[in-house]
Amino acid sequence: MLIKTKQGGSDLILPSDITPRAVFETRREFIQKLAVGSIASASLLEMVQREAFAQTNSANKLAATSNPAYQALDKKTAYKDATTYNNFYEFGTDKADPAQTAASLKTRPWTLSIEGEVKKPLVLDLDALLKLAPIEERVYRLRCVEGWSMVIPWMGYSLSQLLKKVELTSNAKYVEFISLNDARQMPGLGSRVLQWPYTEGLRLDEAMHPLCLLTLGMYGEVLPNQNGAPVRITVPWKYGFKSAKSIVKIRLTKDQPRTSWNVANPSEYGFYSNVNPDVDHPRWSQGSERRIGEDGFFTRKRKTLMFNGYSEVASLYAGMDLKRYF
Ligand SMILES: Nc1nc2c(c(=O)[nH]1)N[C@H]1C(S)=C(S)[C@@H](COP(=O)(O)O)O[C@H]1N2
Ligand SMILES: [Mo]
C-alpha cells in the first residue's frame, strides 16, 4: 500500500508505509535495471541483499527488552482494537476518527523540549529520544474514564530516566505535558470541545514513579499515529486522559498546571484522576469496566480496581483524601 498525502506542499509518508515504500522502490529500481539489461549478477545479489535489509530493518519495528516487573497477566487487547478504538480529540471525537484521520500527522522531524524549572533544558529529536535509555516492553492496563479498558504492550522507558537528565531546580513540583497543536495536521483542533493544546500534568513524585512510561511504541512497532506518535506518556494507574499523546513539550513547574479536561469540566475531571472505583463520575459509576474485545452478549463487566490494580503507587497518596482530590 502506498499512500501519499499532500500537506503544506510536502509529501507525508505514513509510518506504516515506510517499509513497503523502501521495498517497493528497491524492487522498482531492480525491475527497471533488469529491463534495460544493465544488471550484472553481482548487482543482482546486491539488490536482493538490499531488499532483505529493507525488510528486516522495517522503519516501523522497534526493538525492546521485555521488563518482567511490568507484565499485566491479562490477555492483551488485539492490535486491531487498540488502533481503531481511540480517544484523540485532535483527530475527531468519534472512536473511529483517529484511525481514519491521523495519517496527516507528520511524526518526523519531531522535537520534544524539556524546560521550565530545570538547570539544563533539553530539546531532543526522535532519534535522541530513542537512544536515551534502553527501550522496554511493558504490558499495562489502560482504563478510560468512560468505563472501558484495554491491555497494551507499550514500549519505552520510565519518564524519570529523561527527567534526571535535565537537573531539576528545587522549585520543580509538577510536570506539565503539552501535545502538538497544529491545525494543518490535526483536523479536530477546529472543534472547541477542549482547550488546545491538549495539556496534562502530574505531581513530580507521580511523574518520577517508575511506572510512568515515556512511550515510543507498542506491539513491537513505533506508535501508530492514532495512539499518540511519535511520543506520549502512559500513566497506567490513572484514567486514560492523563496519558497525553503526541507531546512536544514537558515543562517542570512550581504550581499545579492547568489541564485540558479539568478546565473543560472541573466537577467531572479532577487533576489527580486516579482510577478509583469508590469515586463515581457524576454521571456514571466507576465501579466496573468493559474490557475491549470481551464484549460478548454474556460477558460480565470487570470490577474496576483501585489504582487500576497498580497498588504500588498507593504510598504516593498516603494521608490524602482521594474523594476530595479525585
Ligand atoms: N493529545 C491527546 N492525548 C490524549 C487524548 C486526546 O484526546 N488528545 N485522549 C486521552 C484519552 S481520553 C485516552 S482514554 C487515551 C487513549 O489512548 P489510546 O488511544 O492509545 O488507547 O489517550 C489520552 N490522551
Ligand atoms: Mo479516556
Side-chain angles (χ1 to χ4, degrees):
M1 184 177 60
L2 191 72
I3 298 173
K4 273 183 145 191
T5 318
K6 279 278 186 196
Q7 176 99 10
S10 64
D11 288 332
L12 296 182
I13 305 170
L14 308 186
S16 60
D17 291 322
I18 290 170
T19 300
R21 180 188 287 223
V23 172
F24 171 79
E25 284 179 356
T26 309
R27 206 178 277 142
R28 187 178 55 191
E29 207 182 316
F30 171 65
I31 291 163
Q32 277 166 357
K33 288 194 180 169
L34 200 66
V36 297
S38 69
I39 205 157
S41 54
S43 63
L44 172 64
L45 181 66
E46 199 185 281
M47 302 237 90
V48 171
Q49 282 170 342
R50 268 178 60 187
E51 174 152 350
F53 180 84
Q55 269 167 343
T56 52
N57 288 271
S58 159
N60 282 349
K61 292 240 164 23
L62 189 59
T65 313
S66 168
N67 186 330
Y70 305 107
Q71 301 293 323
L73 298 175
D74 319 33
K75 185 172 176 283
K76 284 176 208 150
T77 300
Y79 177 86
K80 175 98 191 164
D81 289 333
T83 54
T84 55
Y85 190 87
N86 301 101
N87 274 336
F88 198 169
Y89 280 15
E90 289 90 328
F91 293 101
T93 53
D94 193 274
K95 295 283 177 290
D97 286 343
Q100 280 163 19
T101 65
S104 54
L105 178 67
K106 192 168 180 262
T107 58
R108 267 183 197 268
W110 191 276
T111 53
L112 174 63
S113 74
I114 303 101
E115 53 186 62
E117 294 292 344
V118 300
K119 287 179 204 142
K120 291 185 175 166
L122 262 182
V123 179
L124 297 170
D125 67 15
L126 198 47
D127 292 318
L129 278 170
L130 286 162
K131 279 189 295 213
L132 187 114
I135 309 274
E136 299 173 7
E137 185 184 82
R138 302 183 181 184
V139 181
Y140 282 167
R141 290 177 292 274
L142 179 114
R143 166 63 156 83
C144 178
V145 74
E146 296 164 341
W148 50 267
S149 61
M150 296 200 200
V151 183
I152 297 181
W154 301 107
M155 305 165 85
Y157 44 81
S158 294
L159 175 67
S160 62
Q161 303 258 35
L162 172 59
L163 294 181
K164 72 184 182 203
K165 305 266 182 212
V166 292
E167 292 182 26
L168 309 184
T169 74
S170 57
N171 285 331
K173 298 281 189 294
Y174 293 89
V175 187
E176 185 181 17
F177 305 100
I178 302 165
S179 298
L180 182 71
N181 183 20
D182 182 353
R184 287 167 304 172
Q185 300 182 53
M186 298 173 138
L189 291 176
S191 137
R192 285 187 298 189
V193 271
L194 289 176
Q195 189 178 78
W196 312 112
Y198 191 97
T199 303
E200 259 308 332
L202 297 171
R203 218 171 53 192
L204 183 61
D205 58 342
E206 299 178 312
M208 293 300 276
H209 193 281
L211 270 171
C212 183
L213 190 72
L214 187 95
T215 309
L216 295 153
M218 60 191 241
Y219 297 88
E221 297 181 358
V222 299
L223 283 171
N225 289 358
Q226 59 269 39
N227 294 88
V231 56
R232 69 175 293 172
I233 296 298
T234 310
V235 197
W237 69 95
K238 292 180 182 268
Y239 292 119
F241 67 85
K242 297 297 287 182
S243 297
K245 292 176 165 181
S246 304
I247 56 171
V248 292
K249 200 176 285 186
I250 295 179
R251 195 187 287 136
L252 282 292
T253 64
K254 198 163 158 283
D255 301 314
Q256 183 177 301
R258 287 156 60 84
T259 60
S260 290
W261 279 101
N262 184 249
V263 168
N265 200 333
S267 62
E268 298 193 357
Y269 309 106
F271 175 80
Y272 282 92
S273 288
N274 290 315
V275 173
N276 189 345
D278 301 331
V279 178
D280 287 334
H281 184 279
R283 291 183 279 140
W284 59 82
S285 157
Q286 291 292 25
S288 65
E289 67 203 54
R290 180 170 65 93
R291 182 62 52 82
I292 300 298
E294 282 184 351
D295 18 31
F297 190 71
F298 297 104
T299 312
R300 288 259 182 99
K301 284 196 171 191
R302 290 175 175 250
K303 253 180 77 121
T304 289
L305 302 173
M306 187 64 201
F307 301 123
N308 203 22
Y310 296 94
S311 52
E312 63 262 53
V313 300
S315 59
L316 296 175
Y317 310 104
M320 265 178 83
D321 176 356
L322 295 180
K323 291 203 160 101
R324 173 154 182 228
Y325 297 101
F326 65 93

